Amino acid sequence: MSRQARKISVTGFYHIVFRGINRLHLFEEDSDFIYFLNNLQHLKHEMQFEIHAYCLMSNHVHMLIKERAPGDISLIMKRLLTKYAMYFNRKYDRSGALISSRYKSVPVEIDEYFIPLLCYIHQNPIRAGIVSIAEEYRFSSYREYLYGGSLTDTEFSLGLLGRDEWFKLHQIITKHDFDVTGRTNVSEEEIRRRIMQYTGGREIQEIVSWPKIERDYVIRQLKEKEGLSIRQIERATGISRGVIAKVVK
């Protein structure tokens, strides 16, 4: 069976995920993390792509990259992973594949998912129980957002919300679970359960005809408290995206 063609990002942004084969550790010691980041730095300088977030865990890696020209991402990842696999196999006297299957590259839009995705990437070490706050983890881009650095392009995402709001959102553990499909993995049943908390026993489809004050209150609760996206609220309630966007702005 032939491999499915990768989806092309119209924005140039990709959420990259790759894992060690059979859950193999990709990084055995600090020098391995450092080698990978140095290689990423050299490749970035050569190919002129942008790095907006990264987190290197022991057996998997998340990166948010913006390519310079359409199709660059394939060459970027081929060069990055080939060189690291050669380094790792040589250092640890092993042979064969290092990365499990193909790396995952998911197109990313500049929408309500963009900042939650950054939070998700930076909060990986917290969810794994390695650290209690993102700042404590050495091998992610979060510290560059705090203190500056030459690898991560921080200006874009900080500019979307403002520095204070950006860091405020990072203090809240995101409810989203960005899987390999690239979107937050919340089932329709879970979305319905969250909405039903606010309907008082009435059907979800009735919300669209509720009095404006009551309707808007529920919309704000679903967006701000329950973490649902505008698209999820629109699909579940039938309220138009434009109306929802005005209520939660």
Side-chain angles (χ1 to χ4, degrees):
M1 182 180 295
S2 61
R3 288 180 172 179
Q4 185 176 1
R6 295 189 184 276
K7 295 181 179 180
I8 304 299
S9 171
V10 296
T11 64
F13 283 95
Y14 288 91
H15 177 200
I16 304 293
V17 183
F18 60 90
R19 304 177 184 278
I21 191 168
N22 298 324
R23 300 187 180 275
L24 175 75
H25 281 211
L26 296 170
F27 310 99
E28 291 289 341
E29 52 191 29
D30 285 0
S31 60
D32 299 333
F33 289 97
I34 294 168
Y35 179 89
F36 183 92
L37 292 175
N38 284 341
N39 188 33
L40 184 60
Q41 176 89 67
H42 293 315
L43 192 58
K44 176 189 175 184
H45 178 74
E46 182 177 341
M47 296 193 65
Q48 297 297 298
F49 58 89
E50 298 174 6
I51 301 172
H52 291 262
Y54 67 84
C55 184
L56 277 53
M57 303 292 284
S58 62
N59 65 357
H60 71 280
V61 171
H62 287 271
M63 297 189 295
L64 180 57
I65 290 178
K66 184 180 182 183
E67 62 185 1
R68 182 181 184 184
D72 278 358
I73 194 68
S74 295
L75 181 57
I76 292 168
M77 294 309 300
K78 179 180 180 181
R79 293 181 60 180
L80 181 66
L81 297 183
T82 298
K83 186 170 183 178
Y84 185 74
M86 291 175 63
Y87 155 85
F88 188 91
N89 285 352
R90 182 173 60 251
K91 179 176 180 180
Y92 295 105
D93 193 23
R94 69 177 300 275
S95 60
L98 179 63
I99 307 303
S100 176
S101 186
R102 293 198 298 172
Y103 66 89
K104 311 299 181 183
S105 61
V106 181
V108 176
E109 298 178 26
I110 311 302
D111 60 8
E112 67 268 20
Y113 286 97
F114 191 85
I115 297 299
L117 173 57
L118 261 72
C119 294
Y120 173 81
I121 291 173
H122 290 145
Q123 290 170 0
N124 260 252
I126 299 175
R127 286 191 297 274
I130 299 172
V131 297
S132 57
I133 57 174
E135 183 181 353
E136 294 176 343
Y137 193 69
R138 293 174 55 197
F139 304 113
S140 87
S141 51
Y142 186 80
R143 289 160 68 102
E144 290 198 60
Y145 278 94
L146 280 177
Y147 307 118
S150 58
L151 180 56
T152 309
D153 298 276
T154 62
E155 296 84 358
F156 179 79
S157 59
L158 289 175
L160 289 176
L161 296 175
R163 186 178 181 87
D164 291 343
E165 185 66 17
W166 192 95
F167 283 106
K168 180 180 177 181
L169 288 177
H170 270 73
Q171 306 314 306
I172 304 170
I173 301 300
T174 179
K175 297 179 181 179
H176 299 299
D177 180 15
F178 289 90
D179 61 15
V180 295
T181 65
R183 283 305 185 192
T184 182
N185 187 19
V186 181
S187 68
E188 291 186 8
E189 182 180 349
E190 172 64 13
I191 292 172
R192 179 177 175 80
R193 185 194 68 77
R194 293 187 191 182
I195 296 176
M196 287 297 289
Q197 297 179 83
Y198 303 96
T199 65
R202 290 171 286 182
E203 287 298 318
I204 292 174
Q205 291 75 16
E206 296 178 18
I207 297 175
V208 70
S209 60
W210 285 6
K212 186 174 183 295
I213 293 177
E214 190 177 0
R215 180 203 69 188
D216 291 356
Y217 169 78
V218 171
I219 290 174
R220 281 191 289 269
Q221 292 297 302
L222 296 176
K223 184 70 173 67
E224 298 169 8
K225 187 174 180 179
E226 300 301 325
L228 297 181
S229 72
I230 291 174
R231 291 172 181 169
Q232 288 169 331
I233 298 171
E234 177 189 31
R235 285 196 300 267
T237 65
I239 302 170
S240 72
R241 184 181 307 181
V243 170
I244 297 169
K246 287 183 178 179
V247 172
V248 300
K249 68 179 181 179

